[in-house]
Every structure is written in structure tokens, then in C-alpha cells.
């Protein structure tokens, strides 16, 4: 084999946001990518299957005519996410993964995880189902420079 051609690559970490930002970003993304993992850190967060389905509908409504694009939806892992909702969202194929944000780590992460033990039931259900966990790897220590927080997360 001398070369490889990727006709429609995937974007594995896409922030579309909502409203005007969604309208502005989606045409550029869908012109080049066939699919994308959609980040759920909206306000309010995409924290259950119904919210994921509603967000997906807004994305599809904003898709330019003639563009072929599949948004791969995720849920925002919160202390309120229960195993039953994880299973329902997975069974109904409305989400492909769940995103972990440490509380206060990044944009719209106020609803993120503060205590890991609060999310163990949801994590156990995800493991049982084979549903991927996508981790926002960043420490939240205010003493660490904002530009070093991701590398500090990887080291510690």
C-alpha cells in the first residue's frame, strides 16, 4: 500500500454549542466531516436522553441542504445521571458515549462531577453496556496555571 485516502473523516470532539454558534459552526464542520462526537456541555447540560434527542434535532434542523452529516450524541455525566437513564439512552441508540467533566474545569462544567463516588452507579452501568466514557482531563486546582492543567492531570 502506497497511500491511504480518507474521504469523509470524523471529528471526535466537536463543540457546536447552540443558537448562533451552532448556525455558524455546523456548515463548516458538515462540509468536511461525515460524523462528529458532539460535546454535551451546553447550558443547561445535555444530561439525559430526551435532551440529547432534542439537541440532535436542533443540529439536524441547522444542517445545510445537501450536507450529509451524522451527529454522534453524548450525555454529560452528572451526579443525577442514574443507571436506568444510561441504559435507556444506550438501548434507544440516542447516545454513543458519556462525557466526564470535573466540576469547574472548563466552559460550562459547573454541573460536572465533584465526587466520583456519586457517579459510580452510572459508570458501572456504562461498563456493563460497553458505553464509552469520554474524559475531559484537567485538574481544577486554582494554584495550577490554566495552561498546565491538562498536563498536570496526565502526570498525577
Amino acid at each position: 500500500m502506497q497511500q491511504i485516502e480518507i474521504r469523509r473523516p470524523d471529528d471526535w470532539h466537536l463543540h457546536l454549542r447552540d443558537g448562533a454558534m451552532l448556525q455558524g459552526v455546523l456548515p463548516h464542520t458538515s462540509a468536511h466531516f461525515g460524523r462528529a462526537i458532539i460535546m454535551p456541555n451546553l447550558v443547561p447540560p445535555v444530561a439525559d436522553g430526551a435532551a440529547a434527542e432534542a439537541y440532535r434535532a436542533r443540529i439536524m434542523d441547522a444542517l445545510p441542504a445537501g450536507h450529509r452529516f451524522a451527529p454522534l450524541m453524548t450525555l454529560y455525566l452528572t451526579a443525577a445521571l442514574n443507571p436506568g437513564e444510561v441504559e435507556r439512552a444506550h438501548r434507544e441508540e440516542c447516545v454513543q458515549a458519556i462525557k466526564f467533566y470535573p466540576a469547574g474545569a472548563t466552559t460550562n462544567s459547573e454541573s460536572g462531577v465533584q465526587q466520583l463516588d456519586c457517579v459510580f452507579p452510572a459508570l458501572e452501568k456504562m461498563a456493563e453496556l460497553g458505553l464509552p466514557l469520554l474524559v475531559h482531563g484537567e485538574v481544577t486546582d486554582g494554584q495550577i496555571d490554566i495552561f498546565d492543567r491538562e498536563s498536570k492531570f496526565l502526570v498525577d
Side-chain angles (χ1 to χ4, degrees):
M1 177 185 296
Q2 297 297 326
Q3 68 182 31
I4 184 170
E5 181 180 338
I6 301 174
R7 293 188 176 105
R8 296 280 294 169
D10 294 332
D11 183 332
W12 294 112
H13 186 112
L14 180 62
H15 292 277
L16 288 173
R17 303 293 186 221
D18 229 339
M21 184 68 75
L22 169 61
Q23 298 287 332
V25 172
L26 184 59
H28 298 288
T29 297
S30 62
H32 301 285
F33 294 93
R35 304 182 303 174
I37 294 285
I38 307 300
M39 296 295 104
N41 56 329
L42 302 180
V43 176
V46 179
D48 60 40
E53 291 167 352
Y55 188 26
R56 184 182 191 287
R58 292 193 306 276
I59 293 167
M60 296 310 291
D61 287 346
L63 191 65
H67 283 211
R68 293 178 310 121
F69 178 74
L72 305 174
M73 307 308 293
T74 63
L75 293 183
Y76 189 122
L77 182 61
T78 69
L81 182 59
N82 68 61
E85 180 60 18
V86 170
E87 186 163 18
R88 185 194 75 74
H90 175 72
R91 183 177 6 98
E92 294 179 8
E93 299 181 357
C94 65
V95 299
Q96 281 67 48
I98 297 181
K99 181 74 178 200
F100 170 91
Y101 294 98
T106 190
T107 305
N108 300 335
S109 64
E110 295 77 19
S111 299
V113 175
Q114 294 181 14
Q115 299 289 327
L116 270 179
D117 57 342
C118 293
V119 297
F120 283 165
L123 294 173
E124 289 168 354
K125 180 55 74 174
M126 290 170 58
E128 176 186 317
L129 298 170
L131 190 60
L133 175 67
L134 310 179
V135 176
H136 179 90
E138 181 177 341
V139 298
T140 57
D141 183 344
Q143 300 298 318
I144 306 296
D145 185 280
I146 193 166
F147 296 108
D148 295 329
R149 291 181 181 179
E150 290 178 0
S151 61
K152 184 73 171 161
F153 176 88
L154 294 171
V155 173
D156 288 346

